[in-house]
PDB file of all heavy atoms in Angstrom:
ATOM      1  N   ARG C 354      -4.760  15.136  18.200  1.00 95.00           N
ATOM      2  CA  ARG C 354      -3.977  16.013  18.837  1.00 95.00           C
ATOM      3  C   ARG C 354      -3.809  17.386  18.102  1.00 95.00           C
ATOM      4  O   ARG C 354      -3.802  18.393  18.637  1.00 95.00           O
ATOM      5  CB  ARG C 354      -2.552  15.343  19.118  1.00 95.00           C
ATOM      6  CG  ARG C 354      -1.600  16.250  19.869  1.00 95.00           C
ATOM      7  CD  ARG C 354      -2.104  16.658  21.283  1.00 95.00           C
ATOM      8  NE  ARG C 354      -1.545  17.786  21.760  1.00 95.00           N
ATOM      9  CZ  ARG C 354      -0.508  17.776  22.517  1.00 95.00           C
ATOM     10  NH1 ARG C 354       0.025  16.593  22.954  1.00 95.00           N
ATOM     11  NH2 ARG C 354       0.054  18.864  22.939  1.00 95.00           N
ATOM     12  N   ILE C 355      -3.585  17.365  16.746  1.00 96.00           N
ATOM     13  CA  ILE C 355      -3.398  18.487  15.934  1.00 96.00           C
ATOM     14  C   ILE C 355      -4.675  19.317  16.036  1.00 96.00           C
ATOM     15  O   ILE C 355      -4.604  20.568  16.071  1.00 96.00           O
ATOM     16  CB  ILE C 355      -3.066  18.128  14.550  1.00 96.00           C
ATOM     17  CG1 ILE C 355      -1.577  17.415  14.472  1.00 96.00           C
ATOM     18  CG2 ILE C 355      -3.122  19.365  13.539  1.00 96.00           C
ATOM     19  CD1 ILE C 355      -1.288  16.686  13.260  1.00 96.00           C
ATOM     20  N   ILE C 356      -5.821  18.686  15.927  1.00 97.00           N
ATOM     21  CA  ILE C 356      -7.136  19.381  15.958  1.00 97.00           C
ATOM     22  C   ILE C 356      -7.365  19.997  17.310  1.00 97.00           C
ATOM     23  O   ILE C 356      -7.766  21.146  17.465  1.00 97.00           O
ATOM     24  CB  ILE C 356      -8.217  18.390  15.506  1.00 97.00           C
ATOM     25  CG1 ILE C 356      -8.174  18.107  14.022  1.00 97.00           C
ATOM     26  CG2 ILE C 356      -9.639  18.860  15.908  1.00 97.00           C
ATOM     27  CD1 ILE C 356      -9.148  17.009  13.449  1.00 97.00           C
ATOM     28  N   GLU C 357      -6.937  19.350  18.411  1.00 95.00           N
ATOM     29  CA  GLU C 357      -7.091  19.936  19.691  1.00 95.00           C
ATOM     30  C   GLU C 357      -6.267  21.172  19.713  1.00 95.00           C
ATOM     31  O   GLU C 357      -6.765  22.226  20.281  1.00 95.00           O
ATOM     32  CB  GLU C 357      -6.570  18.963  20.856  1.00 95.00           C
ATOM     33  CG  GLU C 357      -7.509  17.867  21.091  1.00 95.00           C
ATOM     34  CD  GLU C 357      -6.923  16.955  22.273  1.00 95.00           C
ATOM     35  OE1 GLU C 357      -5.801  16.937  22.480  1.00 95.00           O
ATOM     36  OE2 GLU C 357      -7.774  16.285  22.850  1.00 95.00           O
ATOM     37  N   ASP C 358      -5.040  21.154  19.343  1.00 94.00           N
ATOM     38  CA  ASP C 358      -4.177  22.307  19.436  1.00 94.00           C
ATOM     39  C   ASP C 358      -4.727  23.482  18.566  1.00 94.00           C
ATOM     40  O   ASP C 358      -4.666  24.634  18.975  1.00 94.00           O
ATOM     41  CB  ASP C 358      -2.768  21.902  19.034  1.00 94.00           C
ATOM     42  CG  ASP C 358      -2.088  21.039  20.009  1.00 94.00           C
ATOM     43  OD1 ASP C 358      -2.677  20.789  21.106  1.00 94.00           O
ATOM     44  OD2 ASP C 358      -0.931  20.458  19.699  1.00 94.00           O
ATOM     45  N   GLU C 359      -5.201  23.162  17.306  1.00 96.00           N
ATOM     46  CA  GLU C 359      -5.675  24.208  16.378  1.00 96.00           C
ATOM     47  C   GLU C 359      -6.912  24.824  16.999  1.00 96.00           C
ATOM     48  O   GLU C 359      -7.133  26.026  17.018  1.00 96.00           O
ATOM     49  CB  GLU C 359      -5.868  23.614  15.060  1.00 96.00           C
ATOM     50  CG  GLU C 359      -6.200  24.766  14.124  1.00 96.00           C
ATOM     51  CD  GLU C 359      -5.201  25.750  13.724  1.00 96.00           C
ATOM     52  OE1 GLU C 359      -4.061  25.552  13.975  1.00 96.00           O
ATOM     53  OE2 GLU C 359      -5.547  26.816  13.095  1.00 96.00           O
ATOM     54  N   ALA C 360      -7.789  23.898  17.513  1.00 96.00           N
ATOM     55  CA  ALA C 360      -9.056  24.398  18.085  1.00 96.00           C
ATOM     56  C   ALA C 360      -8.817  25.336  19.292  1.00 96.00           C
ATOM     57  O   ALA C 360      -9.491  26.390  19.473  1.00 96.00           O
ATOM     58  CB  ALA C 360      -9.872  23.192  18.534  1.00 96.00           C
ATOM     59  N   GLU C 361      -7.809  24.960  20.074  1.00 93.00           N
ATOM     60  CA  GLU C 361      -7.423  25.806  21.281  1.00 93.00           C
ATOM     61  C   GLU C 361      -7.131  27.166  20.771  1.00 93.00           C
ATOM     62  O   GLU C 361      -7.522  28.192  21.468  1.00 93.00           O
ATOM     63  CB  GLU C 361      -6.354  25.213  22.070  1.00 93.00           C
ATOM     64  CG  GLU C 361      -6.094  25.782  23.454  1.00 93.00           C
ATOM     65  CD  GLU C 361      -5.018  25.247  24.266  1.00 93.00           C
ATOM     66  OE1 GLU C 361      -4.073  24.554  23.613  1.00 93.00           O
ATOM     67  OE2 GLU C 361      -5.037  25.431  25.443  1.00 93.00           O
ATOM     68  N   LYS C 362      -6.372  27.229  19.775  1.00 93.00           N
ATOM     69  CA  LYS C 362      -5.990  28.724  19.200  1.00 93.00           C
ATOM     70  C   LYS C 362      -7.210  29.492  18.874  1.00 93.00           C
ATOM     71  O   LYS C 362      -7.139  30.723  18.947  1.00 93.00           O
ATOM     72  CB  LYS C 362      -5.077  28.513  18.036  1.00 93.00           C
ATOM     73  CG  LYS C 362      -3.691  28.074  18.308  1.00 93.00           C
ATOM     74  CD  LYS C 362      -2.845  28.084  17.028  1.00 93.00           C
ATOM     75  CE  LYS C 362      -1.637  27.205  17.142  1.00 93.00           C
ATOM     76  NZ  LYS C 362      -1.235  26.592  15.903  1.00 93.00           N
ATOM     77  N   ASN C 363      -8.326  28.720  18.465  1.00 93.00           N
ATOM     78  CA  ASN C 363      -9.426  29.407  18.146  1.00 93.00           C
ATOM     79  C   ASN C 363     -10.461  29.536  19.270  1.00 93.00           C
ATOM     80  O   ASN C 363     -11.676  29.767  19.044  1.00 93.00           O
ATOM     81  CB  ASN C 363     -10.134  28.787  16.905  1.00 93.00           C
ATOM     82  CG  ASN C 363      -9.328  28.898  15.641  1.00 93.00           C
ATOM     83  OD1 ASN C 363      -9.483  29.981  15.032  1.00 93.00           O
ATOM     84  ND2 ASN C 363      -8.447  28.041  15.327  1.00 93.00           N
ATOM     85  N   ASN C 364      -9.959  29.153  20.521  1.00 92.00           N
ATOM     86  CA  ASN C 364     -10.866  29.217  21.696  1.00 92.00           C
ATOM     87  C   ASN C 364     -11.886  28.183  21.738  1.00 92.00           C
ATOM     88  O   ASN C 364     -12.972  28.358  22.320  1.00 92.00           O
ATOM     89  CB  ASN C 364     -11.316  30.596  21.807  1.00 92.00           C
ATOM     90  CG  ASN C 364     -11.769  30.845  23.306  1.00 92.00           C
ATOM     91  OD1 ASN C 364     -11.197  30.234  24.243  1.00 92.00           O
ATOM     92  ND2 ASN C 364     -12.686  31.674  23.547  1.00 92.00           N
ATOM     93  N   TYR C 365     -11.675  26.951  21.093  1.00 94.00           N
ATOM     94  CA  TYR C 365     -12.631  25.876  21.187  1.00 94.00           C
ATOM     95  C   TYR C 365     -11.922  24.782  21.968  1.00 94.00           C
ATOM     96  O   TYR C 365     -10.733  24.554  21.817  1.00 94.00           O
ATOM     97  CB  TYR C 365     -13.048  25.484  19.780  1.00 94.00           C
ATOM     98  CG  TYR C 365     -14.064  26.327  19.134  1.00 94.00           C
ATOM     99  CD1 TYR C 365     -13.574  27.445  18.317  1.00 94.00           C
ATOM    100  CD2 TYR C 365     -15.403  26.165  19.302  1.00 94.00           C
ATOM    101  CE1 TYR C 365     -14.485  28.302  17.740  1.00 94.00           C
ATOM    102  CE2 TYR C 365     -16.270  27.115  18.675  1.00 94.00           C
ATOM    103  CZ  TYR C 365     -15.802  28.089  17.955  1.00 94.00           C
ATOM    104  OH  TYR C 365     -16.755  28.912  17.309  1.00 94.00           O
ATOM    105  N   THR C 366     -12.755  23.948  22.652  1.00 94.00           N
ATOM    106  CA  THR C 366     -12.282  22.705  23.283  1.00 94.00           C
ATOM    107  C   THR C 366     -12.842  21.567  22.502  1.00 94.00           C
ATOM    108  O   THR C 366     -13.942  21.634  22.078  1.00 94.00           O
ATOM    109  CB  THR C 366     -12.742  22.684  24.749  1.00 94.00           C
ATOM    110  OG1 THR C 366     -12.122  23.897  25.394  1.00 94.00           O
ATOM    111  CG2 THR C 366     -12.239  21.484  25.396  1.00 94.00           C
ATOM    112  N   VAL C 367     -11.985  20.559  22.367  1.00 95.00           N
ATOM    113  CA  VAL C 367     -12.416  19.384  21.518  1.00 95.00           C
ATOM    114  C   VAL C 367     -12.821  18.314  22.362  1.00 95.00           C
ATOM    115  O   VAL C 367     -12.121  17.863  23.363  1.00 95.00           O
ATOM    116  CB  VAL C 367     -11.342  18.940  20.577  1.00 95.00           C
ATOM    117  CG1 VAL C 367     -11.731  17.728  19.678  1.00 95.00           C
ATOM    118  CG2 VAL C 367     -10.934  20.116  19.654  1.00 95.00           C
ATOM    119  N   ILE C 368     -13.850  17.605  22.158  1.00 95.00           N
ATOM    120  CA  ILE C 368     -14.235  16.285  22.701  1.00 95.00           C
ATOM    121  C   ILE C 368     -14.209  15.215  21.590  1.00 95.00           C
ATOM    122  O   ILE C 368     -14.687  15.434  20.529  1.00 95.00           O
ATOM    123  CB  ILE C 368     -15.599  16.292  23.483  1.00 95.00           C
ATOM    124  CG1 ILE C 368     -16.751  16.797  22.746  1.00 95.00           C
ATOM    125  CG2 ILE C 368     -15.371  17.136  24.785  1.00 95.00           C
ATOM    126  CD1 ILE C 368     -18.030  16.747  23.469  1.00 95.00           C
TER     127      ILE C 368
END
Side-chain angles (χ1 to χ4, degrees):
Chain C
R354 180 59 203 269
I355 292 163
I356 286 174
E357 284 180 340
D358 292 348
E359 183 68 17
E361 191 179 23
K362 281 186 209 151
N363 290 277
N364 202 26
Y365 284 89
T366 301
V367 178
I368 54 180

